[in-house]
């Protein structure tokens, strides 16, 4: 009977690989459509830059795996056999859901999918436990991490408002500066625009990358004994200000002397940043459940207890994800990006929807 859980771990590993494929096929639109739609740089260049972004983002995504472990439910309320059923249900549902949307060429949110799959599976298992113990259904809140779940769901809803608002503002300013004969604009306009855009993007890349590394909590005397993460968060204005000056000067040199199209540079750097954000944020949606299951299995095998007697309180502790798993996941994502026809179908659908004329 114990072998069934080892088989479940193997099955979850296979499901994770499949989920990576269907997940990337679905989410490729998020970091490719802007660059592809602009037609400013070649398809090959876009794919190479996006692949590099995915590789970096995957390696730096370890800390986000906590969402699948304890972000939605209280693991201590479930036993090992129950948690494995929850994880299996979530992975199977996720693959079926994402593949359906990919097949019809429609993008969907992998974050929304995994959050509500975890919530639904946990609630269903909680209700079964409550019914078996002749308890009250109101006890279900004891099994769900209501505070964290509410924050995550609220963040998802808020992100829609923020993305729409900030996107509209940036688009309006960009159009105001560049829409009419932008090639004939004064060189300083392109330099300032490049400085603003590249400062924002590079600061994001640096912050996104440093948070996922073990160096984020290292202290250095040169920055007053603060950690790198704290220094970056407390010195935002200074760092961005200096970065803006440097990037503006470099942009002006690129435009005036080197005759380089600064807008193409912005697109390339922006594509890298989007791919990095995608891999760093969404990798948990694809392999977080499987990693949590593997860690649960490892803890249970050393406990000597029966599957229905081993509490999963162990998942409440923070455990880093082995880098080799992140590397393999990143490799699968990159291969999928280059080979998936469904990824290109979903991307083409998004680009067609954004056109003013007929598709």
């Amino acid at each position: 009977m114990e072998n069934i859980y080892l088989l479940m771990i193997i099955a979850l590993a296979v499901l994770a690989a499949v989920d990576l494929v269907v997940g990337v096929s679905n989410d490729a639109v998020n970091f490719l459509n802007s660059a592809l739609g602009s037609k400013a740089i070649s398809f090959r260049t876009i794919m190479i830059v996006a692949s590099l972004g995915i590789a970096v983002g995957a390696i730096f995504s370890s800390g986000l795996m906590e969402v699948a472990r304890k972000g939605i439910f209280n693991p201590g309320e479930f036993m090992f056999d129950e948690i494995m059923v929850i994880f299996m249900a979530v992975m199977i549902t996720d693959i079926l859901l994402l593949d359906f949307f990919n097949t019809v060429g429609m993008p969907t949110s992998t974050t929304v999918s995994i959050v509500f799959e975890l919530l639904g599976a946990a609630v269903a298992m909680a209700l079964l436990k409550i019914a078996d113990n002749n308890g009250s259904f109101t006890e279900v809140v004891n099994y769900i991490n209501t505070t964290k779940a509410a924050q995550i769901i609220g963040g998802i809803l808020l992100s829609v408002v923020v993305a729409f608002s900030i996107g509209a503002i940036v688009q309006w300013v960009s159009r105001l500066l560049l829409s009419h004969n932008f090639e004939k604009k004064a060189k300083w306009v392109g330099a300032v625009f490049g400085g603003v855009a590249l400062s924002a993007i590079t600061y994001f890349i640096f912050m996104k990358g440093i948070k996922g590394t073990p160096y984020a909590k290292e202290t250095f005397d040169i920055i007053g004994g603060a950690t790198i993460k704290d220094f970056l968060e407390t010195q935002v204005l200074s760092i961005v200000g200096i970065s803006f000056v440097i990037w503006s000067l470099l942009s002006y040199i690129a435009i005036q002397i080197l005759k380089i199209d600064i807008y193409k540079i912005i697109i390339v750097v922006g594509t890298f940043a989007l791919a990095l954000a995608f891999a760093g944020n969404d990798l948990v949606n694809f392999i977080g459940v499987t990693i949590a299951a593997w860690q649960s299995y490892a803890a249970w095998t050393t406990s000597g207890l029966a599957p229905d007697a081993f509490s999963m309180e162990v998942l409440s502790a923070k455990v880093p994800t082995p880098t080799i798993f992140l590397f393999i996941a990143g490799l699968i994502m990159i291969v999928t990006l280059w080979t998936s026809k469904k990824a290109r179908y979903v991307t083409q659908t998004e680009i067609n929807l954004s056109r003013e004329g007929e598709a």
Side-chain angles (χ1 to χ4, degrees), residues 4-16 65 68-70 73 75 79-91 118 284 286-301 310 312 314-315 321 325:
I4 190 173
Y5 296 109
L6 178 59
L7 293 175
M8 290 176 75
I9 292 297
I10 296 173
L12 282 167
V14 174
L15 289 172
M65 296 297 168
R69 293 160 50 88
K70 58 184 180 181
F73 54 82
M79 299 302 166
F80 173 69
D81 59 339
E82 298 165 344
I83 213 76
M84 290 298 291
V85 173
I86 290 175
F87 288 153
M88 284 293 295
V90 169
M91 289 300 292
L118 283 167
V284 63
F286 310 137
I287 69 169
V289 169
T290 298
I291 295 298
W294 172 73
Q295 292 170 338
S296 301
Y297 178 79
W300 169 69
T301 53
F310 182 62
M312 292 314 303
V314 65
L315 290 182
T321 303
F325 292 163

Side-chain angles (χ1 to χ4, degrees), residues 43 47 337-349:
F43 176 79
M47 294 293 284
L337 183 67
W338 282 88
T339 59
S340 175
K341 292 182 179 179
K342 288 185 177 181
R344 299 186 186 184
Y345 180 35
V346 174
T347 301
Q348 189 61 46
T349 299

